Amino acid sequence: MPTVIIIDGIRIEIYTDDHPPPHFHVKAGGMRAKFDISTGELLQGSLDKRSMRKVRQWMRFNGDLLMQVWISSRPR
């Protein structure tokens, strides 16, 4: 499971060989969440407001990177 980035203690990960739809996982403190890469929709879990704001802001500028990591982590 490659860690894409850690932002102020917030870990953004994409699990190798994970199921569709393209999504990423976030770990912040004791909380966990899962987001759809294409829409930014929160699919599962929860985050505090600060972490949510930072993740969404980062995702807005790095959605293409997330999709590239997702595609490259798929089995060949």
Side-chain angles (χ1 to χ4, degrees), residues 5-61:
I5 192 168
I6 299 173
I7 309 163
D8 295 332
I10 302 165
R11 183 179 298 269
I12 295 178
E13 301 175 334
I14 293 181
Y15 298 165
T16 304
D17 200 20
D18 208 350
H19 59 85
H23 63 279
F24 64 97
H25 298 260
V26 177
K27 296 177 183 174
M31 296 178 285
R32 295 174 185 254
K34 182 167 69 171
F35 291 85
D36 185 290
I37 293 173
S38 298
T39 66
E41 177 186 359
L42 176 65
L43 300 173
Q44 187 176 31
S46 64
L47 297 172
D48 61 84
K49 287 182 183 182
R50 175 190 159 276
S51 298
M52 183 71 80
R53 184 174 57 249
K54 287 193 175 271
V55 168
R56 290 193 188 266
Q57 180 181 20
W58 186 86
M59 186 176 57
R60 195 170 328 134
F61 294 103

